[in-house]
């Protein structure tokens, strides 16, 4: 089973989440910032995507949005989990992202994991649990 965590982080909050999620997913999980990912999402069985909310509750538009838009065509039948940090709003970016992912035919684990700001010790444990649940999904 090939699995990866691919994320974009502007302040480091989503990166902290990604690291804890990858740890929870277990040994062999590949961890990439979106700008360092050179593989093909079609080669993976499970993909956890992370991106913080930007602007008017949208995915980061310079790197992550183009990457995810290109990946959508390869998500059908894949097991996918979504996560990210935010600083305002009510999670509309995650609801929109979830809908897009489901329309792409992915098997989505749940509604996604959102953490307001930087993950504290409890938030990091939530991330590890989220990763472990995704590994078992």
């Amino acid at each position: 089973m090939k699995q990866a965590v691919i994320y974009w982080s502007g302040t480091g909050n989503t990166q902290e989440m990604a690291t804890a999620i990858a740890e929870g997913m277990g040994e062999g999980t590949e961890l990439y910032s979106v700008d360092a990912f050179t593989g093909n999402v079609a080669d993976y069985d499970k993909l956890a995507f992370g991106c913080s909310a930007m602007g008017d509750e949208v995915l980061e538009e310079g790197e992550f949005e183009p990457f995810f838009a290109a990946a959508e065509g390869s998500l059908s039948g894949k097991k996918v989990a979504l996560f990210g940090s935010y600083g305002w709003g009510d999670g509309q970016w995650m609801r929109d992202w979830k809908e897009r992912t489901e329309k792409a035919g992915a098997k989505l684990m749940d509604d996604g994991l959102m953490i307001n700001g930087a993950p504290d010790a409890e938030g990091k444990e939530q991330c590890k649990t989220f990763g472990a649940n995704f590994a078992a999904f």
Side-chain angles (χ1 to χ4, degrees):
M1 172 101 24
K2 194 168 180 179
Q3 54 190 24
V5 177
I6 304 169
Y7 69 92
W8 181 89
S9 186
T11 62
N13 297 343
T14 300
Q15 180 179 9
E16 286 185 51
M17 292 178 71
T19 301
I21 289 167
E23 183 181 330
M25 287 173 68
E27 197 171 316
T29 301
E30 298 174 27
L31 175 65
Y32 301 99
S33 61
V34 71
D35 62 333
F37 182 74
T38 58
N40 184 341
V41 297
D43 295 336
Y44 291 83
D45 303 294
K46 291 185 178 181
L47 294 151
F49 293 109
C51 186
S52 49
M54 302 296 291
D56 190 24
E57 288 205 75
V58 296
L59 297 174
E60 188 277 329
E61 296 172 306
E63 289 181 280
F64 194 84
E65 173 60 39
F67 167 81
F68 192 76
E72 280 177 285
S74 299
L75 296 182
S76 184
K78 303 281 183 195
K79 293 181 178 181
V80 173
L82 306 175
F83 67 93
S85 63
Y86 68 102
W88 60 90
D90 68 354
Q92 185 61 48
W93 109 99
M94 185 63 72
R95 290 189 297 276
D96 293 344
W97 194 12
K98 176 183 177 246
E99 184 179 319
R100 279 178 70 181
T101 305
E102 289 172 333
K103 282 183 180 178
K107 297 175 185 173
L108 201 58
M109 183 174 80
D110 62 15
D111 293 334
L113 176 64
M114 299 181 294
I115 292 183
N116 190 340
D120 57 14
E122 182 182 327
K124 287 180 184 176
E125 283 305 313
Q126 280 182 296
C127 291
K128 287 179 189 173
T129 300
F130 183 80
N133 290 342
F134 187 47
F137 177 68

